[in-house]
């Protein structure tokens, strides 16, 4: 894509990034500091994730693979994968297991949203907000460590059952840590969203309109911060609505402020969701351990969708006449939202790109499948 003009110049960022970020090239077409258009070209390391789902035959191998599709969405992708394998096997799991998976999804949402709040503070040079939120995120992921032995939730989600059911000790640890985080997170976000220096960077920066979000099929934070009513916890909940019925949190501004504020509101909501769901767990009823001796139905097609912290996750699979998976496809929410980032920087200063980028926090891994 090109724009003609004597004063138009290009700025290239990437394709190699620092640390462990995967390859991506960002090509800005600018007039001075003003961005006319951003062209995003994501690179690939040919991880072959989807093909590995075919070569790995054991359900445990497949769920381990799902945990590593995107490092920041262990619970989201493994939950989608587990539900898919259970569907292909015609296996209905208990409501209690579904509740525990919903709790894990909300804990992951809380951890990442708080971490993103820290990252946004970093990009506007508010160091106090950064370090406080980083410390609070650590409390949440350490809670996951206490629950299942891994800070990111690896080993927690397994098809057909669980090795790490919630017991009284885990429940009390979750409740105590959430109470601590809730109070401290409210205090720091009250400061963040009242500081003129922060608001000056957040407000009216990186705006994506309702119409734009709708046309590109935005999901998750990118959708709900632009007024789009899109959340699988409402339309396709994994637990019975009689136990919990989700209420949408919507903001219409569509700017960095909206995406930051939505994270704050969703953290507060998710904490209350976890508290409510813990009330419905029967601690005297042990969840069965995973039994992997299940055959898949032949010539079948299954779709599994889960609302991860970033948005809707979709796993699909097809079995052949022998009941073997012959096709596996994954759709990470980032797939929908990368163009929202490109739209958000139009008519913005190029120096605002890091802030806009962080406000979406999209995954390269989610496209490199």
């Amino acid at each position: 894509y090109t724009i003609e003009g004597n004063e138009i110049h290009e700025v290239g960022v990437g394709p190699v990034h620092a640390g462990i970020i995967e390859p991506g090239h960002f090509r800005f077409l600018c007039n001075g500091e003003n961005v006319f258009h951003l062209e995003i070209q994501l690179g690939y390391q040919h991880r072959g994730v989807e093909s590995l789902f075919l070569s790995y035959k054991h359900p445990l191998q497949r769920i381990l693979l799902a945990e590593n599709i995107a490092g920041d969405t262990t619970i989201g992708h493994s939950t989608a994968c587990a539900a898919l394998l259970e569907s292909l096997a015609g296996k209905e799991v208990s409501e209690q297991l579904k509740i525990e998976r919903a709790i894990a999804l909300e804990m992951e949402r809380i951890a990442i949203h708080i971490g993103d709040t820290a990252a946004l503070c970093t990009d506007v040079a508010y160091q106090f907000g950064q370090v406080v939120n980083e410390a609070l995120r650590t409390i949440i992921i350490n809670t996951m460590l206490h629950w299942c032995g891994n800070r990111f939730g690896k080993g927690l989600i397994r098809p057909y059952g669980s090795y790490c059911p919630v017991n009284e000790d885990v429940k009390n640890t979750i409740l105590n840590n959430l109470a601590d985080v809730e109070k401290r997170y409210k205090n720091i976000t009250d400061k963040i969203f009242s500081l003129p220096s922060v608001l000056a960077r957040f407000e009216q920066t990186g705006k994506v309109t309702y119409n734009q979000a709708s046309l590109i099929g935005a999901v998750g934070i990118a959708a709900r911060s632009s007024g789009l009513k899109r959340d699988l916890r409402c339309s396709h909940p994994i637990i019975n609505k009689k136990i919990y019925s989700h209420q949408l949190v919507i903001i219409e501004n569509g700017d960095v402020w909206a995406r930051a504020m939505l994270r704050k509101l969703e953290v507060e909501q998710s904490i209350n969701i976890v508290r409510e769901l813990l009330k419905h767990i029967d601690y005297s009823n042990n969840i069965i351990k995973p039994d992997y001796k299940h055959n898949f139905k032949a010539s079948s097609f299954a779709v599994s969708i889960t609302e991860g912290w970033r948005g809707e996750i979709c796993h699909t699979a097809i079995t052949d006449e022998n009941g073997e998976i012959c096709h596996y496809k994954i759709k990470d929410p980032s797939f929908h939202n990368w163009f929202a980032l490109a739209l958000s920087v139009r008519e913005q200063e190029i120096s605002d790109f890091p802030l806009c980028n962080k406000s979406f926090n999209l995954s390269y891994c989610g496209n490199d499948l």
Side-chain angles (χ1 to χ4, degrees):
Y1 184 80
T2 59
I3 297 178
E4 299 295 333
N6 294 331
E7 297 180 351
I8 305 300
H9 65 99
E10 295 184 12
V11 178
V13 179
V16 178
H17 291 274
I20 59 173
I21 299 175
E22 295 203 11
H25 181 64
F26 299 86
R27 177 171 166 261
F28 297 86
L29 295 172
C30 306
N31 181 355
E33 287 288 305
N34 189 48
V35 178
F36 284 157
H37 180 68
L38 166 60
E39 188 173 79
I40 301 173
Q41 185 176 24
L42 301 178
Y44 296 91
Q45 299 191 99
H46 305 287
R47 298 194 297 151
V49 173
E50 291 171 339
S51 62
L52 287 173
F53 272 98
L54 306 184
S55 59
Y56 290 167
K57 302 296 184 182
H58 197 280
L60 180 57
Q61 291 178 307
R62 285 170 170 151
I63 200 69
L64 288 171
L65 186 61
E67 287 180 339
N68 292 281
I69 290 170
D72 57 13
T73 318
T74 295
I75 300 297
H77 276 290
S78 58
T79 299
C81 177
L84 184 72
L85 298 179
E86 290 158 357
S87 176
L88 289 173
K91 178 73 173 179
E92 182 68 26
V93 299
S94 68
E95 194 66 34
Q96 182 158 325
L97 182 59
K98 293 178 182 178
I99 291 172
E100 292 195 3
R101 289 176 180 177
I103 291 171
L105 283 166
E106 297 307 319
M107 292 293 287
E108 183 172 71
R109 189 184 318 278
I110 293 166
I112 300 297
H113 280 357
I114 293 176
D116 283 350
T117 306
L120 286 165
C121 289
T122 303
D123 276 359
V124 297
Y126 182 41
Q127 190 176 21
F128 181 66
Q130 172 198 343
V131 296
V132 170
N133 281 291
E134 286 175 345
L136 296 179
R137 172 183 175 271
T138 300
I139 294 174
I140 298 298
I141 61 177
N142 282 349
T143 306
M144 297 300 292
L145 175 68
H146 180 77
W147 182 359
C148 68
N150 184 275
R151 296 198 303 167
F152 305 110
K154 293 183 178 181
L156 179 57
I157 307 298
R158 292 291 179 262
Y160 320 119
S162 174
Y163 293 115
C164 308
V166 174
N167 55 32
E168 289 283 353
D169 177 51
V170 170
K171 180 195 77 169
N172 291 334
T173 300
I174 291 174
L175 290 176
N176 290 337
N177 288 349
L178 286 181
D180 180 32
V181 168
E182 181 181 41
K183 179 180 178 181
R184 292 163 63 184
Y185 186 68
K186 183 181 185 305
N187 287 339
I188 190 61
T189 50
D190 285 348
K191 289 182 173 64
I192 290 170
F193 290 102
S194 61
L195 277 174
S197 58
V198 172
L199 295 178
R201 293 295 310 281
F202 281 8
E203 292 177 340
Q204 300 302 312
T205 300
K207 189 163 186 175
V208 178
T209 67
Y210 174 91
N211 188 50
Q212 288 174 324
S214 178
L215 287 173
I216 66 173
V219 298
I221 288 287
R224 295 192 290 274
S225 60
S226 293
L228 227 59
K229 296 179 180 179
R230 183 165 290 167
D231 194 320
L232 293 177
R233 291 173 292 175
C234 291
S235 59
H236 297 79
I238 66 174
I239 54 178
N240 193 319
K241 285 191 174 183
K242 292 181 180 179
I243 295 176
Y244 177 78
S245 182
H246 187 73
Q247 301 298 314
L248 268 173
V249 179
I250 299 292
I251 297 179
E252 298 181 352
N253 301 45
D255 54 6
V256 170
W257 178 90
R259 291 185 284 276
M261 176 58 75
L262 191 60
R263 284 175 168 85
K264 165 184 160 60
L265 297 177
E266 287 199 354
V267 166
E268 295 170 351
Q269 183 186 55
S270 291
I271 289 173
N272 289 325
I273 292 172
V274 172
R275 286 177 178 145
E276 181 63 29
L277 293 180
L278 284 171
K279 297 176 183 176
H280 294 276
I281 292 181
D282 181 3
Y283 300 99
S284 63
N285 180 21
N286 293 326
I287 291 178
I288 62 170
K289 293 183 179 180
D291 177 8
Y292 297 116
K293 298 176 182 178
H294 296 286
N295 295 320
F296 295 146
K297 292 178 286 186
S299 304
S300 298
F301 172 55
V303 178
S304 173
I305 51 177
T306 299
E307 185 70 26
W309 69 266
R310 189 179 273 120
E312 60 189 53
I313 298 166
C314 180
H315 285 222
T316 67
I318 299 173
T319 58
D320 59 21
E321 61 275 10
N322 299 316
E324 294 288 344
I325 294 179
C326 60
H327 185 72
Y328 199 103
K329 185 65 182 173
I330 304 157
K331 192 270 306 174
D332 184 87
S334 298
F335 183 82
H336 290 268
N337 292 340
W338 274 108
F339 196 61
L341 172 60
L343 293 173
S344 72
V345 298
R346 289 184 178 179
E347 301 303 323
Q348 298 286 316
E349 292 184 5
I350 193 170
S351 56
D352 283 329
F353 168 69
L355 179 60
C356 294
N357 188 20
K358 201 64 63 65
S359 72
F360 288 99
N361 190 9
L362 304 178
S363 172
Y364 295 79
C365 297
N367 291 268
D368 190 5
L369 302 172

